[in-house]
């Protein structure tokens, strides 16, 4: 497994990952949102490769956040790569970078379908809103305070 910075040439692979996870984890209308994010809002975004193939992606943003806060953004993994620890590795990779940047509050806005993944890694649910992303896709806003959470990267 290799984690590297996203490049514009990765866009087709990332969009394919989203397609493979729709409608299981994402609503069809989120495709336009992801494309817009990649083209206009992406700050720190990464892909996970296995044998030279992009099997996952995710990033974080600090803009529009208080100085000590960042938002986890657009975590997506190939269905065949889910449950193998790759998502955990990518999340921990980003959390280490955020700690090094002095960020102590990490927000993730996800859905009821995957919030348990973040909960297992220490995120706490702070807000819910039904049908936020689309019909049947609820908002689960979660928070992790890095100063209080040591990370074992091994």
């Amino acid at each position: 497994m290799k984690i590297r910075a996203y490049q514009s040439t990765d866009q087709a692979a990332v969009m394919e990952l989203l397609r493979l996870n729709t409608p299981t984890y994402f609503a069809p209308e989120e495709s336009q949102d992801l494309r817009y994010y990649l083209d206009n809002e992406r700050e720190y975004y990464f892909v996970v490769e296995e044998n030279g193939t992009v099997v996952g992606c995710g990033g974080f943003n600090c803009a529009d956040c208080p100085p000590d806060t960042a938002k986890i953004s657009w975590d997506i993994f190939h269905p065949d790569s889910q449950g193998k620890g790759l998502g955990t590795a990518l999340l921990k990779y980003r959390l280490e970078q955020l700690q090094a940047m002095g960020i102590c509050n990490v927000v993730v806005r996800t859905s009821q379908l995957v919030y348990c993944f973040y909960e297992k890694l220490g995120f706490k649910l702070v807000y819910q809103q039904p049908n936020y992303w689309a019909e049947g896709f609820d908002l689960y806003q979660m928070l992790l305070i890095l100063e209080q959470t040591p990370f074992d990267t091994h």
Side-chain angles (χ1 to χ4, degrees), residues 30-147:
E30 290 182 271
S31 176
Q32 290 179 343
D33 295 339
L34 176 57
R35 190 175 308 279
Y36 184 84
Y37 171 84
L38 292 172
D39 290 341
N40 301 291
E41 297 175 340
R42 171 181 46 86
E43 289 180 57
Y44 301 91
Y45 205 68
F46 307 93
V47 296
V48 177
E49 289 183 337
E50 279 194 319
N51 302 316
T53 300
V54 174
V55 297
C57 53
F60 63 85
N61 286 54
C62 300
D64 301 325
C65 294
D68 61 348
T69 303
K71 294 182 287 191
I72 296 295
S73 56
W74 289 103
D75 288 344
I76 313 168
F77 278 83
H78 191 287
D80 294 342
S81 297
Q82 294 172 9
K84 297 182 178 180
L86 300 176
T88 299
L90 178 59
L91 182 59
K92 286 183 177 182
Y93 176 84
R94 290 176 289 166
L95 293 175
E96 289 171 359
Q97 290 190 343
L98 290 168
Q99 280 181 320
M101 293 169 65
I103 300 293
C104 53
N105 299 306
V106 182
V107 174
V108 65
R109 296 177 345 140
T110 188
S111 74
Q112 76 276 19
L113 304 170
V114 294
Y115 85 96
C116 291
F117 166 77
Y118 297 100
E119 192 172 56
K120 286 189 287 188
L121 292 165
F123 284 81
K124 304 292 183 209
L125 182 63
V126 294
Y127 179 75
Q128 287 176 255
Q129 183 177 335
N131 301 314
Y132 178 84
W133 306 109
E135 184 68 32
F137 291 86
D138 302 344
L139 168 65
Y140 274 55
Q141 186 165 314
M142 305 181 81
L143 174 68
L144 177 70
I145 300 174
L146 289 177
E147 293 176 329

